[in-house]
Amino acid sequence: MSTIPINTERLPEHIAIIMDGNGRWAKQKGKFRVFGHENGVKAVREVSEGCAELGIKYLTLYAFSTENWNRPKIEINALMSLLVNTIKKETKTLMKNGIKLEAIGDRTMLPIDCRKELEEAIEITKNNTKMTLVLALSYSAKWDIVNATKDIVKRALEGDINLDDVNETLINNTLTTHKYPHPELMVRTSGEHRISNFLLWEIAYSELYFTNVLWPDFRKEHLHEAILDYQNRERRFGKTSEQLA
Ligand code: IPE
Ligand code: IPE
Ligand code: MG
């Protein structure tokens, strides 16, 4: 574990995490996959608290992808009820830590009780200002991009916008993530090196960090390691090193 302190002057404003490896974690222990999901909740708590403590303003957690609807029904049901219960239980902690809960993704796909709990927690925490925790639920970047495209075409057909109005800013502002700065740092746990349809547009220039740690084992020190690694990167945005100096 590193002992170099984090430079609080150079923190990412937004961290996005693909929380992966719950199933393998459980399997290693000879348990059912759901046991891994249950134990992933502790990591969510640790990371949310850890980010808030450091002064990270936005944390986006990939909790359930559009593609995850293809999992066995029994696992989907278990995940959804875990979600309802966790949101219910954790609202107090969110209030205590000044965290605002928001969500991105297709809410119409969620079971009604799940959606209700989520919307209630969003409403209760809406005035918190320390950090925004964005849950990506029934989310995929392609889903978001398709909807944004439809919206733009509709506005064009209605005569609200012209062809020349279509630019990066318009597309950006039409995505459901428009309220958040693009994540400077994207983390994926469990040793998989892929994006799995997470924030495709938004991570165009993100620093990517991969760790072999399985999500249920992820703790504040792992978060700190990821941030330290990020702080040692040179973000050039197409320029040369010399230009940055
Ligand atoms: C991540 O863990 C949680 C979700 C995708 C909901 P997985 O369930 O994908 O765990 P592995 O990748 O099978 O180990
Ligand atoms: C990505 O994990 C989605 C979430 C973490 C919610 P998966 O485990 O579903 O990703 P793939 O299918 O292995 O790429
Ligand atoms: Mg996985």
Side-chain angles (χ1 to χ4, degrees):
M1 267 328 99
S2 180
T3 51
I4 314 159
I6 288 171
N7 178 357
T8 50
E9 311 273 277
R10 274 196 61 216
L11 286 172
E13 197 184 358
H14 183 176
I15 300 179
I17 306 183
I18 302 175
M19 311 184 285
D20 198 14
N22 296 352
R24 278 162 284 166
W25 186 89
K27 204 167 174 186
Q28 281 177 6
K29 295 184 156 45
K31 308 271 193 188
F32 292 115
R33 295 178 55 84
V34 178
F35 184 68
H37 298 315
E38 286 163 1
N39 280 275
V41 175
K42 170 123 207 258
V44 171
R45 202 179 295 128
E46 281 254 333
V47 167
S48 311
E49 205 176 75
C51 283
E53 278 167 8
L54 284 169
I56 308 287
K57 295 312 283 181
Y58 300 89
L59 171 65
T60 300
L61 298 177
Y62 204 7
F64 196 88
S65 72
T66 304
E67 288 75 19
N68 287 148
W69 289 115
N70 296 318
R71 290 199 178 188
K73 196 95 199 111
I74 186 162
E75 181 168 346
I76 295 177
N77 291 343
L79 271 167
M80 290 300 145
S81 51
L82 180 67
L83 209 80
V84 177
N85 294 330
T86 306
I87 293 171
K88 213 187 279 183
K89 267 213 312 264
E90 297 297 320
T91 309
K92 259 192 279 156
T93 324
L94 293 175
M95 291 309 288
K96 191 191 89 195
N97 292 319
I99 301 172
K100 184 202 301 204
L101 182 72
E102 296 196 348
I104 50 172
D106 186 0
R107 278 189 217 175
T108 64
M109 291 287 288
L110 298 174
I112 188 73
D113 57 333
C114 186
R115 189 168 165 181
K116 204 175 126 264
E117 272 322 317
L118 179 69
E119 286 172 357
E120 242 170 65
I122 290 173
E123 178 62 26
I124 293 169
T125 62
K126 72 174 183 206
N127 293 320
N128 290 342
T129 56
K130 179 129 180 72
M131 186 181 85
T132 302
L133 171 61
V134 186
L135 274 190
L137 257 184
S138 185
Y139 169 89
S140 74
K142 287 187 180 177
W143 164 84
D144 205 8
I145 292 168
V146 167
N147 283 329
T149 308
K150 280 187 182 169
D151 191 76
I152 290 170
V153 172
K154 184 164 172 276
R155 286 165 66 190
L157 290 174
E158 286 167 355
D160 286 348
I161 52 169
N162 299 311
L163 189 58
D164 289 340
D165 294 321
V166 180
N167 55 27
E168 278 193 27
T169 310
L170 179 74
I171 294 174
N172 201 62
N173 291 345
T174 314
L175 293 168
T176 57
T177 52
H178 68 273
K179 292 192 281 181
Y180 320 119
H182 292 169
E184 295 94 333
L185 173 61
M186 209 223 51
V187 174
R188 185 173 188 145
T189 59
S190 87
E192 304 295 355
H193 296 173
R194 56 176 174 265
I195 305 300
S196 304
N197 216 347
F198 198 29
L199 313 161
L200 298 179
W201 171 276
E202 300 81 353
I203 60 164
Y205 253 110
S206 302
E207 296 298 329
L208 308 182
Y209 179 86
F210 299 100
T211 170
N212 289 330
V213 175
L214 301 175
W215 181 251
D217 288 330
F218 201 84
R219 293 292 173 269
K220 279 182 197 173
E221 67 242 41
H222 301 113
L223 170 76
H224 295 167
E225 272 183 0
I227 295 172
L228 276 173
D229 195 90
Y230 162 82
Q231 293 190 328
N232 284 315
R233 312 253 183 117
E234 184 177 59
R235 307 192 73 204
R236 289 190 286 276
F237 298 99
K239 294 182 180 173
T240 67
S241 244
E242 290 69 24
Q243 280 178 298
L244 298 174

